[in-house]
Amino acid sequence: ALQAGIVGLPNVGKSTLFNAVSNSAKAQASNYRFCTIEPNVGLVDVPDERLNKLTELVVPNRTVPTQMEIVDIAGLVKGASKGEGLGNKFLGNIREVDAIIHVIRCFEDENVLREEGAINPLSDKEIIDTELQLKDLESVEKKMQRVEKMARVGTDAKAKAEFEVLTRCKEHLEKGKGIFSLGLSKEEKTAVADLFLLTDKPVLYVANVDEASMHTGNKFSQILIDGVKGEGAEVIVMCNNIEAQIAEMESPDDKQMFMEEYKMTEPALNRLIRSAYKLLNLDTYFTAGVQEVRAWTIHKGWKAPQAAGVIHSDFEKGFIKAEVIAYDDFVKFGSEAAARDNGRLRIEGKEYLVKDGDIMHFRFNV
Ligand code: GDP
């Protein structure tokens, strides 16, 4: 499964957030299935209003959300790129994730140690960014040395092209920018694919604010929002302490009461997970039967057989066709039968590009 990794300086609230994630995952797991979770990997349900709506309409025996993985990557400190602390190990963990959740401390609390002096969201962000960029610069320069000769002397067109891309990467990193924002084409990316660059991943920020500011934000979260505007990255303002408390509660009634007290309509964690899912560039389709209403994760641009393969590889191998109802049509007519009667059930073939929200039923040979 695709993973989003939580990074940030020490004492900003990462493990508090991760605990909230894994506690809520455990609560979910007891309902219908196990999830094997490593100490620092949590498998979480992706909250989706559409799944609730379909459940209301179909009234199935069970409802199964789709999931994604969240990884806690602790231990990133200033100097990590030079191997300080366990720097290299943590940077290695970042290589494996597909998107980054960067937690930034936006709360004041003299009881929570802070090495960098007064609260400063932008300089905190820069410390982490710089470590990642330095490490990438090292990888890029190493590869440049390898291909330089071939690019210079030979007639090796591939090496020439690679060297050109690497040079652009180097210049970009030296300006203090991450590779993701360089906007390399798919073709250009092959030149750096083997480097698994740390800054070539989409990022979202969590502004971890104090309890009192969770609905309004505070001056620190505002500084962060203004500071990252140019990146086009999303900033989620939330209070990780509160989220951890909600996730710890076992009874849904207690949860509900607690949230009402804090004037919350849902845990902020839900917002975070939905945004992280979007960041991974994923879509969801549904299957809706009386046994089970279920959400399935696919990548944008997948065709029907590939989407069917998420359920079972036999569905992909033996794919014949798919019956498809768009989500809005399903809701408008209220059932599969009614959608069919109104001509809204389409029969699609192997080339069909599955759309986010499609309700699918596959026909296949065994
Ligand atoms: P990490 O080092 O980034 O994993 O940080 P932790 O999650 O361990 O948090 C460090 C300390 O900050 C803990 O004592 C938390 O209780 C505290 N903390 C985390 N979030 C908040 C918050 O929103 N407000 C306040 N006041 N303290 C928080």
Side-chain angles (χ1 to χ4, degrees):
L2 289 187
Q3 295 184 327
I6 303 174
V7 306
L9 285 176
N11 281 336
V12 297
K14 294 184 303 296
S15 26
T16 307
L17 177 62
F18 183 76
N19 287 341
V21 166
S22 56
N23 277 332
S24 78
K26 272 179 225 152
Q28 293 158 1
S30 60
N31 292 337
Y32 46 83
R33 54 197 157 142
F34 284 107
C35 41
T36 327
I37 305 175
E38 285 172 55
N40 69 328
V41 183
L43 196 57
V44 291
D45 289 352
V46 179
D48 191 328
E49 261 313 307
R50 296 171 301 181
L51 189 66
N52 302 344
K53 185 74 197 170
L54 291 174
T55 299
E56 240 172 68
L57 293 172
V58 178
V59 199
N61 288 335
R62 60 174 195 169
T63 299
V64 184
T66 191
Q67 297 187 306
M68 65 175 287
E69 286 182 20
I70 306 257
V71 192
D72 187 15
I73 304 174
L76 208 58
V77 293
K78 201 169 183 165
S81 62
K82 296 185 193 71
E84 265 174 51
L86 288 166
N88 267 322
K89 178 176 175 296
F90 298 122
L91 291 170
N93 291 339
I94 298 179
R95 286 194 203 292
E96 324 221 317
V97 303
D98 308 284
I100 290 177
I101 298 171
H102 188 161
V103 182
I104 307 256
R105 178 160 165 179
C106 293
F107 65 87
E108 284 177 309
D109 185 341
E110 57 194 25
N111 296 317
V112 180
L113 181 77
R114 192 177 146 76
E115 303 209 331
E116 295 81 13
I119 302 296
N120 190 337
L122 290 182
S123 90
D124 280 15
K125 168 184 138 47
E126 214 176 290
I127 291 173
I128 297 288
D129 285 354
T130 303
E131 293 305 327
L132 303 184
Q133 288 160 11
L134 285 173
K135 197 70 195 171
D136 277 356
L137 194 56
E138 188 185 306
S139 314
V140 167
E141 283 176 339
K142 251 191 218 153
K143 183 160 182 190
M144 282 176 84
Q145 282 171 7
R146 265 186 283 136
V147 296
E148 184 166 21
K149 267 205 192 109
M150 287 187 288
R152 286 259 161 83
V153 295
T155 49
D156 189 338
K158 182 167 166 266
K160 274 193 175 28
E162 279 195 352
F163 193 76
E164 191 267 330
V165 173
L166 290 164
T167 308
R168 275 168 59 205
C169 288
K170 178 172 167 1
E171 286 167 4
H172 199 68
L173 288 164
E174 281 169 346
K175 280 186 213 147
K177 293 180 181 164
I179 295 302
F180 190 71
S181 66
L182 186 55
L184 293 175
S185 70
K186 212 171 168 187
E187 212 172 45
E188 290 167 334
K189 282 213 164 159
T190 59
V192 289
D194 58 336
L195 302 180
F196 299 99
L197 296 176
L198 302 168
T199 65
D200 192 19
K201 300 171 198 286
V203 179
L204 76 78
Y205 297 95
V206 167
N208 185 18
V209 299
D210 51 286
E211 236 176 83
S213 312
M214 81 178 155
H215 293 301
T216 53
N218 59 20
K219 61 179 177 188
F220 302 118
S221 59
Q222 195 54 50
I223 288 172
L224 181 65
I225 290 168
D226 293 341
V228 303
K229 238 170 211 154
E231 292 178 28
E234 190 175 355
V235 179
I236 305 223
V237 178
M238 58 191 280
C239 175
N240 294 357
N241 264 358
I242 292 288
E243 295 306 313
Q245 288 178 50
I246 296 173
E248 247 172 36
M249 292 180 192
E250 275 169 27
S251 124
D253 289 344
D254 288 352
K255 262 186 216 210
Q256 199 51 45
M257 261 169 53
F258 183 90
M259 286 196 292
E260 273 167 25
E261 205 170 301
Y262 281 93
K263 300 195 165 49
M264 304 168 80
T265 50
E266 64 170 354
L269 205 55
N270 289 9
R271 263 193 293 145
L272 173 65
I273 292 165
R274 279 196 299 263
S275 293
Y277 189 73
K278 246 192 264 159
L279 200 62
L280 292 169
N281 214 9
L282 299 172
D283 276 345
T284 301
Y285 76 84
F286 302 98
T287 48
V290 286
Q291 276 306 319
E292 178 180 280
V293 166
R294 184 160 181 164
W296 303 91
T297 296
I298 53 166
H299 291 249
K300 284 191 192 303
W302 276 14
K303 292 179 179 170
Q306 212 175 355
V310 178
I311 301 179
H312 199 288
S313 54
D314 288 347
F315 280 34
E316 180 169 5
K317 272 184 253 149
F319 180 91
I320 304 171
K321 49 188 67 150
E323 297 172 358
V324 187
I325 304 171
Y327 175 78
D328 288 342
D329 286 336
F330 198 104
V331 171
K332 183 173 169 196
F333 296 107
S335 71
E336 181 181 316
R340 183 197 307 260
D341 291 344
N342 286 279
R344 293 310 177 118
L345 186 147
R346 286 173 277 130
I347 308 291
E348 302 281 2
K350 284 191 168 142
E351 292 303 313
Y352 178 66
L353 284 173
V354 179
K355 293 189 188 61
D356 191 43
D358 277 350
I359 289 110
M360 316 271 298
H361 183 85
F362 299 106
R363 293 202 207 137
F364 62 99
N365 281 320
V366 243

